[in-house]
Amino acid sequence: MSNHDSNSTRHSTNTTSASDAPTHEDFHWIEGPQQGSLYGNLLETTLDVSAGIHACLQIIYTNTLEHAANDDADDGEKASPAVSVMHADQLMRLAIVSAGLLRDEAWRQVEDCNEVEVS
């Protein structure tokens, strides 16, 4: 969608009222002077990524328990698992890749800190 349709072009002005200004601000876990710092960004990323990994692993674990319980259950007592085997595999892969990305980012920042110390 174009921002330059005929209606907005006809009624546009060079001034923007306060009600037209965007109100979105990036979300941050950290308030104060550490916000936006390398350390603060790493902490916020760690919180977000580790929460995602935690959620993936909880779903996978619950799914595994349901499959095991279903193996022992009678036909009328079987419960539907949380996700399919394919989705559980995708969640596991997501958790593995996310943990790797988090590790790589932490390692990059360790190297940056070590370079600063050497200089």
Side-chain angles (χ1 to χ4, degrees), residues 49-66:
V49 173
S50 63
I53 293 168
H54 186 256
C56 287
L57 294 176
Q58 283 185 318
I59 293 168
I60 294 165
Y61 182 69
T62 301
N63 199 58
T64 302
L65 290 176
E66 284 297 331

Side-chain angles (χ1 to χ4, degrees), residues 103-115:
R103 178 207 55 222
D104 294 346
E105 177 61 18
W107 187 248
R108 185 187 68 76
Q109 290 201 24
V110 165
E111 289 176 337
D112 285 351
C113 287
N114 287 339
E115 286 178 13

